[in-house]
Amino acid sequence: MPALETLRGLRVVASAESLDVAAWDEGAVVLRFAPDDAFAIGAINIDVSDEHAIVAEETGFVGMWLSVSELAEQVLPHIEWPLPDARPALCQGFIAGVPAKLWVTDDRALLICACSYADELAERLQ
Amino acid sequence: MNEFVERQLTLQWHEPKKSYDVVIIGGGGHGLATAYYLAARHGIKNVAVLEAGYIGSGNSGRNTTIIRANYGIPEAIRFYQHSLDLYQTLEDELSCWVMYSTKGIIWLAHTETQMRAERARCLLNVACGAETVMVTPQEAKELCPQLDLSGGGRYPVMGASYHPAAATARHDRVVWAYAQGAMRHGVHVLQHRTVTGLLRDGVRVSGVETSAGPISAGVVLSAVGGNVSTIAAHADVRLPIRTHPLQAFVTNAHEQGFGPILSDTELLCYVSQSARGEMVIGAEYDPQPSYSLRSSFNFLQSCASKVTHLLPFLRDLRILRQWAGICDISADFSPIMGATGVDGFLVTTGWGTWGFKAIPAGGEQMAELIATGRTPELVERFGLDRFAADRAMADQGSAGTH
Amino acid sequence: MLWITCPRCGRRPVEEFGFGGELRGVPERITDPAERDVDYAWMYDNVHGITSERWFHRAGCRRWLTLSRDTVTDTVTG
């Protein structure tokens, strides 16, 4: 399995309406942690209309890209809840008992957790 | 014939009367001990104890029987030390073997913060008359040779406090001993009699409504566990109590030789060995309030994971039983004893996860309070009025688990 | 085991959540302002039955939600 590496991007906390229509950098993977909270992996710039928006460089998460088979064999056995049917989908909750997130697309998936849990998650997925 | 059936047959059961001087709701340790001391010490024998199930079927029969006095505030230490003293002479007082066994409790610390807290607790305990000393990891290992001082490589032990007087007793026997003592003095213990309401005479409480008709009383004392808010609501009394389940489990019998009680400030779990050789294991109460007695796999999993870090030999044992009780956890983690502001209605509650050790002193002090109409000095700070007076008795750190 | 449905993340085991307390109210019959303050600060309904309460999805979206739960059966009712 690949290793968990620091994910670089922008963390944006802003009104849900402004995030819905925000313009992100081409190629950025935008994860909506909550209606008013987004993490745009690979983004450098963002155009968001909310004047109270908080935009900060985010280095607090680690992640690893997985193939569909790696996801099925190495991660899904550690998840107690069902994955949604829609793709792409952001799933958040315990993975192997550690607070983590999973960005699932048709052909691959990104496993994410806070960097402080990285070693714990990696150990538990072994 | 098992011990329980035998005891039920040999106790002197009475036909209920229509009226008593004192009616106690709840036939657990606290209710029965109060009845016993009322009759034996104060000559108040026209007393009934009403129990919805069988005696000791609530938290008295579900706790992990740890008796200790190493609490975190002076009033609590003095009170629990007095209870411990009463426990030590209980077998003589009640002419009944309750399997009291002094074991000592080791309270492990893993960080400098926890060490400071334990050192402070030692000083306070000693000042208030409950012997507690700091021990090094090596001394802890001598007291408990099965202990892994590295904590499974994850929770290295930095030191511990040791309270040598800590003990266990057999819970059912304590309940039966008080029931027998009370009944011998003429107290009526009425089993399978559920209290469904309180009789009111104007504002005052004048008795109880039960599943088998009303019973009038001069004084009604609620000594129930988890369901106290429901009883108090019948008298419009509001309590700073939330009912949380507390779970525990035992393993199959292991060779005798696990001497002390082991407790942990970081992991909030504790382990002792019963007289039958079973390892008795418990931890924190469930975070959300509930009246459900269901056990959960999550508790078993997380608690087993914690204790096997400290005691690797537990991994080879099997789990025999798991159970839950519902605990009346007070807002400041101290008991609430005495007047409620409604005439004729008293409570002894807020015993949370820590009530078993308090049975003798709780019963003795409540009996004195009822008999004399005055709050004894030992428990005067534990009144319900402390919340309105902004004198809460915060003691979570030492009361939260057992 | 108790499962909670988070409106953003879906159905999850209770361990992912933090209990934030029941929605509290002071009974109407308490009229004295000082008594109402004491009740608000300290007293609990400790409902035996269905209660409304706040939960925090700690391991998921990290947002609050309100739900109804039956404290007798420990099941979520809405």
Side-chain angles (χ1 to χ4, degrees):
Chain A
M1 193 150 74
L4 286 160
E5 284 170 14
T6 302
L7 298 171
R8 295 187 183 279
L10 289 180
R11 184 80 177 267
V12 185
V13 175
S15 71
E17 301 74 34
S18 67
L19 282 179
D20 285 343
V21 297
W24 309 90
D25 285 340
E26 192 77 25
V29 177
V30 182
L31 308 180
R32 285 287 281 275
F33 290 171
D36 57 353
D37 183 359
F39 177 29
I41 301 165
I44 299 167
N45 301 295
I46 181 202
D47 190 5
V48 62
S49 60
D50 184 350
E51 60 173 320
H52 300 295
I54 301 167
V55 180
E57 202 178 315
E58 176 66 85
T59 54
F61 289 93
V62 293
M64 63 169 107
W65 285 100
L66 304 164
S67 67
V68 172
S69 65
E70 283 170 331
L71 173 70
E73 286 159 24
Q74 295 173 46
V75 179
L76 292 190
H78 296 281
I79 303 182
E80 285 187 61
W81 29 269
L83 253 48
D85 295 328
R87 293 289 179 275
L90 175 68
C91 318
Q92 308 183 80
F94 276 157
I95 297 176
V98 176
K101 304 174 197 296
L102 204 55
W103 172 248
V104 195
T105 68
D106 285 325
D107 54 354
R108 57 180 191 159
L110 179 63
L111 174 67
I112 304 166
C113 76
C115 58
S116 50
Y117 297 139
D119 292 346
E120 182 73 33
L121 181 61
E123 191 182 309
R124 291 193 190 197
L125 289 180
Q126 291 279 308
Chain B
M1 188 158 50
N2 78 24
E3 205 185 358
F4 172 71
V5 175
E6 188 181 350
R7 194 55 61 118
Q8 291 271 314
L9 291 173
T10 53
L11 291 171
Q12 304 156 22
W13 304 97
H14 300 86
E15 281 304 308
K17 298 195 292 182
K18 294 230 174 306
S19 168
Y20 293 92
D21 292 339
V22 180
V23 163
I24 298 171
I25 311 169
H30 280 273
L32 292 164
T34 306
Y36 168 76
Y37 289 111
L38 273 172
R41 295 241 179 118
H42 303 282
I44 299 175
K45 301 183 177 187
N46 187 20
V47 176
V49 179
L50 309 186
E51 167 55 46
Y54 56 89
I55 55 171
S57 57
N59 292 340
S60 297
R62 295 165 188 274
N63 70 90
T64 49
T65 74
I66 287 162
I67 300 164
R68 59 183 180 87
N70 58 339
Y71 273 66
I73 54 176
E75 295 83 354
I77 298 165
R78 286 189 202 108
F79 173 81
Y80 290 110
Q81 181 63 46
H82 178 60
S83 205
L84 201 152
D85 294 342
L86 289 177
Y87 256 121
Q88 286 175 339
T89 55
L90 197 62
E91 292 179 352
D92 289 338
E93 165 104 30
L94 298 170
S95 312
C96 222
W97 183 41
V98 298
M99 301 169 75
Y100 187 87
S101 164
T102 299
K103 294 181 169 171
I105 188 165
I106 305 168
W107 216 294
L108 298 177
H110 305 277
T111 65
E112 190 47 54
T113 314
Q114 289 162 2
M115 287 293 285
R116 270 202 296 275
E118 290 310 300
R119 278 187 212 111
R121 181 149 74 153
C122 283
L123 292 172
L124 189 62
N125 278 207
V126 171
C128 297
E131 190 195 348
T132 311
V133 293
M134 287 306 287
V135 294
T136 63
Q138 287 67 35
E139 287 168 328
K141 176 99 180 162
E142 277 163 33
L143 291 163
C144 179
Q146 298 88 343
L147 174 63
D148 176 1
L149 288 177
S150 78
R154 189 150 225 183
Y155 302 102
V157 175
M158 196 175 254
S161 68
Y162 179 57
H163 174 52
T168 59
R170 176 140 167 72
H171 42 26
D172 286 335
R173 284 178 169 273
V174 171
V175 169
W176 296 335
Y178 273 116
Q180 191 174 43
M183 286 166 154
R184 224 183 264 143
H185 284 92
V187 169
H188 289 193
V189 178
L190 310 176
Q191 296 192 112
H192 307 291
R193 173 78 68 124
T194 308
V195 170
T196 55
L198 295 173
L199 303 177
R200 306 292 290 273
D201 178 7
V203 189
R204 87 171 256 118
V205 167
S206 58
V208 293
E209 188 63 63
T210 79
S211 49
I215 298 174
S216 63
V219 173
V220 174
L221 167 68
S222 167
V224 305
N227 288 301
V228 64
S229 298
T230 316
I231 299 284
H234 293 306
D236 291 331
V237 169
R238 302 265 291 164
L239 293 172
I241 296 280
R242 287 204 271 203
T243 298
H244 290 264
L246 177 71
Q247 302 186 47
F249 63 94
V250 295
T251 67
N252 57 335
H254 179 65
E255 59 179 336
Q256 289 290 346
F258 188 84
I261 303 158
L262 189 70
S263 186
D264 195 290
T265 44
E266 166 89 26
L267 300 168
L268 301 175
C269 59
Y270 59 99
V271 181
S272 69
Q273 187 171 30
S274 77
R276 275 196 290 245
E278 297 165 349
M279 301 304 297
V280 185
I281 299 165
E284 281 177 293
Y285 58 82
D286 293 3
Q288 74 273 18
S290 169
Y291 292 85
S292 165
L293 287 171
R294 224 170 344 166
S295 301
S296 74
F297 178 70
N298 300 87
F299 172 82
L300 198 56
Q301 190 181 33
S302 80
C303 192
S305 154
K306 290 172 180 177
V307 293
T308 50
H309 274 103
L310 301 171
L311 299 168
F313 80 96
L314 293 176
R315 288 186 195 137
D316 299 328
L317 302 183
R318 271 165 291 191
I319 290 154
L320 206 62
R321 293 191 301 283
Q322 184 188 1
W323 69 94
I326 52 169
C327 304
D328 37 346
I329 307 275
S330 59
D332 60 359
F333 295 83
S334 288
I336 299 168
M337 305 169 74
T340 59
V342 173
D343 233 14
F345 182 58
L346 305 172
V347 290
T348 176
T349 182
W351 292 112
T353 65
W354 51 89
F356 180 75
K357 66 180 73 63
I359 286 172
E364 182 201 49
Q365 300 292 306
M366 279 313 295
E368 186 178 335
L369 193 152
I370 292 168
T372 64
R374 287 187 309 276
T375 306
E377 197 190 333
L378 191 63
V379 296
E380 65 178 358
R381 292 292 301 275
F382 292 121
L384 178 59
D385 56 357
R386 70 178 183 263
F387 296 96
D390 205 12
R391 288 191 284 107
M393 308 281 283
D395 198 13
Q396 176 167 17
S398 44
T401 53
H402 53 291
Chain C
M1 188 169 82
L2 184 59
W3 285 72
I4 290 173
T5 301
C6 168
R8 288 162 289 273
C9 305
R11 196 163 175 266
R12 292 289 190 276
V14 67
E15 285 68 35
E16 290 192 8
F17 296 82
F19 177 68
E22 61 270 49
L23 299 180
R24 291 162 70 179
V26 179
E28 299 271 323
R29 65 184 157 76
I30 302 175
T31 50
D32 178 71
E35 271 181 53
R36 288 187 68 84
D37 286 351
V38 170
D39 193 279
Y40 183 80
W42 291 107
M43 305 304 166
Y44 298 112
D45 293 333
N46 201 15
V47 176
H48 184 271
I50 292 173
T51 171
S52 290
E53 56 199 18
R54 300 281 282 164
W55 287 81
F56 179 63
H57 195 187
R58 199 162 47 195
C61 59
R62 302 191 65 78
R63 290 299 179 276
W64 288 91
L65 59 125
T66 303
L67 56 80
S68 301
R69 185 174 59 95
D70 187 333
T71 61
V72 179
T73 57
D74 211 4
T75 47
V76 174
T77 54

